[in-house]
Amino acid sequence: MHPAEPITVALTLCALYGVGGGSVPLQAYNPPSLYALVGPIFAAVFIRLLATGEFGYIMLGIASAAFALIMVAVCRVQARTPRRWLPNPV
């Protein structure tokens, strides 16, 4: 990702958001696996976007970190649902 090429940054982030967001329903029954996927990806994105020093990319980095936190929160809610409704979830 090079900040001088915003279309490359946008397409890379779209792919990462898609992979991260799409993994939530699949990994909701084992939240640590989601943390292992989302944590390193979005930590690297956050650090890289902050390193540019440009206001727009810094805001994009903060928004990416917020997206990662929202994915974790949704995963946690989705992981609790079977425990709440099933007597002995598998």
Side-chain angles (χ1 to χ4, degrees):
M1 268 189 336
H2 194 275
E5 299 176 10
I7 191 70
T8 303
V9 173
L11 292 174
T12 302
L13 290 178
C14 284
L16 292 175
Y17 291 161
V19 168
S23 67
V24 171
L26 299 173
Q27 297 178 353
Y29 303 105
N30 186 16
S33 65
L34 179 81
Y35 308 152
L37 174 73
V38 168
I41 289 174
F42 286 96
V45 166
F46 182 70
I47 291 168
R48 178 65 179 112
L49 291 172
L50 287 182
T52 64
E54 295 182 26
F55 180 75
Y57 286 121
I58 292 171
M59 290 293 107
L60 189 56
I62 292 170
S64 295
F67 180 73
L69 292 175
I70 290 168
M71 283 191 301
V72 168
V74 169
C75 180
R76 291 173 57 113
V77 168
Q78 199 169 5
R80 279 191 299 243
T81 301
R83 290 185 217 127
R84 181 179 302 153
W85 296 102
L86 298 175
N88 293 317
V90 178

